[in-house]
Amino acid sequence: MQAKVEPGWRFWLLAVLLGGGAALSLGTALLFLVLGLAMAAPLLGLPQGSAGSFLNIAFTSAFVGTVMLVGLFWLIRPPVATAAETAAGQRRLALASLAMLIWLPLVGLFRVVESSALAWLLLPPLVVIGAVIPAWFLIELARRGLNVLPRGRSWQILSVSFALTIPLTLLLSLVMLAVFVVVLGVYLNTQPQLLADLQRFFEQFDPADVDLQQLELIANQILANPVIVALLISLVAGVTPLLEELLKPLALWLYAGDRLSPAQGFVGGALCGAAFGLWENLSALAGAGNGGGVLILVARIGSLLLHTTATAIFGWGLASFWAQRRYWGRLVGSYLLAVGLHAFWNLFGVLSAVPVTPRLPLLNRLPVTDQTFNPLWLVLPGMALLNLLLLVWMNYRLQREAQTAIRLAHPSQTDSPAAGTAQNQPAADERMEDILSNRNT
């Protein structure tokens, strides 16, 4: 990958995106900070219930704006490739692993702070730190031994994901949701009994006192309607994964002309997916402070892992195709695999969210305890483990390919006993970087 960045169209596009995005994010952070502090001040007589949420949004926006500023810095100062990146990558993974160990007691602290009177003041930084640490760890795990991106390019990819990919995905998702609501409304008008039952349920619905029997009745009535089930599945496990998996690696397209290696596509895709998953988690935690933040913080790790793995795999397929146009199989196969992982996760996520066991054909054969239990709750942890194994396996495979390429390109040096010593490590790092950047896998 070229170390020198010329001020062409890509430079100016990134400058506008990152500069404008940073200004907007930091301005939003300042606005919500002022509003949150004003709500928290009892002398002003403003409602204090939303102070915590406003401050959570302020810290989240400040974090996103800071990432964009770092990306803008590396745009002005072009990324450079150095042989020292291998040692730096090992240090980063060690630090990220240590941070994950610290994250565990941090979750306990999160629970204590969330129920305290000072939650509005202490919780916002914990929200950002608690969401960022798992994302950082997964990024370092994905690029372990694959230090193929020039220093600073990773920040650019993260910044573009925040500045371009996420807003565009939000906009198209809203359009898609509006179409779904219109189609569902048209269909419900043809089902007067179901429409009347739904209206009566929502009129009587009280979040503080949920009637599980009534909820189960409504859930089974909806799930018994094949048209509504088809519409829900098509939205959650069809259109949404197709759209998001197509857009998430958008930042990589800006570097398609650089002939990225498959390893670079994999690492870049992991960065894109982690940025997307991190933004989703921060958005979900914006309302933390009512006692449910800890559950969201822990449960959303699976979603973060899904986005990181799926986009890393598709990034690998994209880069393989850009390197050699004959790799249609990798391009289509990686996209379908990413969509499939996302679709099944969304499908089982929605079914698992039902607080009762819906009467579906296969579920009736599963054992049910006296307490409310949904057997599908067991599926998501298994899928999270599958995503983790896929991420680690792809990383291992790409490392092996790089080592094989080095042995084939420099057999006399790699077979030498001194080849693995620290003295010759910088040269080996440079050879690996050159091969991963230029060879067409």
Side-chain angles (χ1 to χ4, degrees):
M1 185 177 288
Q2 292 294 110
K4 181 180 180 181
V5 178
E6 298 180 357
W9 67 268
R10 185 170 67 189
F11 175 89
W12 295 113
L13 176 61
L14 290 177
V16 172
L17 279 175
L18 302 187
L24 181 61
S25 296
L26 294 177
T28 302
L30 180 60
L31 174 63
F32 276 84
L33 178 64
V34 172
L35 292 175
L37 292 176
M39 290 180 177
L43 297 178
L44 297 179
L46 296 175
Q48 300 181 18
S50 300
S53 297
F54 274 64
L55 292 175
N56 288 340
I57 296 173
F59 272 76
T60 296
S61 299
F63 167 75
V64 172
T66 302
V67 171
M68 293 182 188
L69 284 180
V70 177
L72 186 62
F73 168 80
W74 282 110
L75 177 67
I76 298 172
R77 179 184 176 183
V80 292
T82 63
E85 279 297 291
T86 295
Q90 294 172 350
R91 289 194 298 269
R92 287 194 303 265
L93 179 58
L95 289 174
S97 301
L98 178 61
M100 279 302 296
L101 293 178
I102 298 174
W103 182 83
L104 295 175
L106 187 69
V107 172
L109 178 62
F110 193 101
R111 183 179 183 85
V112 173
V113 170
E114 193 176 20
S115 59
S116 71
L118 293 177
W120 63 272
L121 178 62
L122 302 178
L123 196 61
L126 285 180
V127 164
V128 175
I129 295 172
V132 167
I133 288 177
W136 178 30
F137 174 74
L138 290 178
I139 288 173
E140 298 304 334
L141 188 65
R143 63 182 179 182
R144 179 177 63 92
L146 298 175
N147 299 288
V148 292
L149 292 177
R151 187 176 56 185
R153 182 59 51 82
S154 299
W155 287 102
Q156 291 183 14
I157 292 175
L158 287 172
S159 301
V160 173
S161 295
F162 282 127
L164 177 62
T165 305
I166 291 171
L168 182 60
T169 304
L170 266 178
L171 177 62
L172 294 180
S173 297
L174 289 174
V175 173
M176 177 182 63
L177 182 61
V179 173
F180 172 79
V181 169
V182 170
V183 173
L184 181 61
V186 170
Y187 174 74
L188 287 177
N189 283 329
T190 66
Q191 305 291 319
Q193 184 59 47
L194 178 58
L195 182 60
D197 291 341
L198 287 174
Q199 289 176 340
R200 184 166 54 254
F201 170 76
F202 284 112
E203 288 173 357
Q204 301 174 356
F205 181 74
D206 182 6
D209 184 21
V210 178
D211 186 345
L212 291 180
Q213 286 187 338
Q214 187 180 13
L215 184 58
E216 182 177 10
L217 181 63
I218 291 294
N220 287 321
Q221 187 176 0
I222 293 175
L223 293 174
N225 190 305
V227 176
I228 294 182
V229 170
L231 286 174
L232 289 173
I233 292 178
S234 65
L235 176 67
V236 173
V239 180
T240 297
L242 286 169
L243 176 65
E244 289 189 357
E245 295 306 327
L246 187 65
L247 294 177
K248 279 191 296 183
L250 190 60
L252 290 183
W253 284 88
L254 296 176
Y255 305 98
D258 293 354
R259 296 182 66 83
L260 301 178
S261 69
Q264 289 174 321
F266 177 80
V267 173
L271 288 163
C272 294
F276 190 92
L278 175 59
W279 170 81
E280 277 194 347
N281 291 0
L282 288 171
S283 300
L285 287 166
N290 57 1
V294 173
L295 180 60
I296 296 174
L297 182 66
V298 175
R300 293 291 305 180
I301 290 183
S303 178
L304 174 66
L305 181 56
L306 164 74
H307 289 303
T308 305
T309 301
T311 315
I313 292 173
F314 187 37
W316 167 81
L318 281 172
S320 299
F321 178 73
W322 291 334
Q324 289 191 9
R325 301 293 179 180
R326 62 187 177 88
Y327 281 128
W328 281 98
R330 288 190 182 185
L331 176 65
V332 176
S334 62
Y335 177 65
L336 292 180
L337 177 58
V339 170
L341 291 172
H342 197 162
F344 278 104
W345 179 270
N346 283 2
L347 177 62
F348 287 112
V350 170
L351 293 178
S352 299
V354 179
V356 292
T357 304
R359 294 173 184 171
L360 296 177
L362 294 178
L363 296 183
N364 288 333
R365 302 179 184 179
L366 296 175
V368 180
T369 62
D370 294 335
Q371 310 235 345
T372 301
F373 175 73
N374 188 337
L376 293 178
W377 291 342
L378 303 176
V379 176
L380 291 182
M383 293 194 64
L385 178 60
L386 173 63
N387 288 322
L388 179 61
L389 293 176
L390 281 173
L391 187 70
V392 173
W393 177 76
M394 283 293 295
N395 173 276
Y396 174 76
R397 171 184 169 177
L398 290 170
Q399 286 192 62
R400 291 293 300 270
E401 288 182 358
Q403 294 168 1
T404 301
I406 291 175
R407 286 197 299 269
L408 293 176
H410 304 276
S412 61
Q413 297 182 28
T414 54
D415 291 341
S416 170
T421 64
Q423 181 179 1
N424 293 318
Q425 187 61 39
D429 291 341
E430 291 178 351
R431 291 197 301 273
M432 180 181 289
E433 192 171 277
D434 291 340
I435 291 169
L436 286 173
S437 299
N438 299 320
R439 84 185 261 263
N440 296 327
T441 305

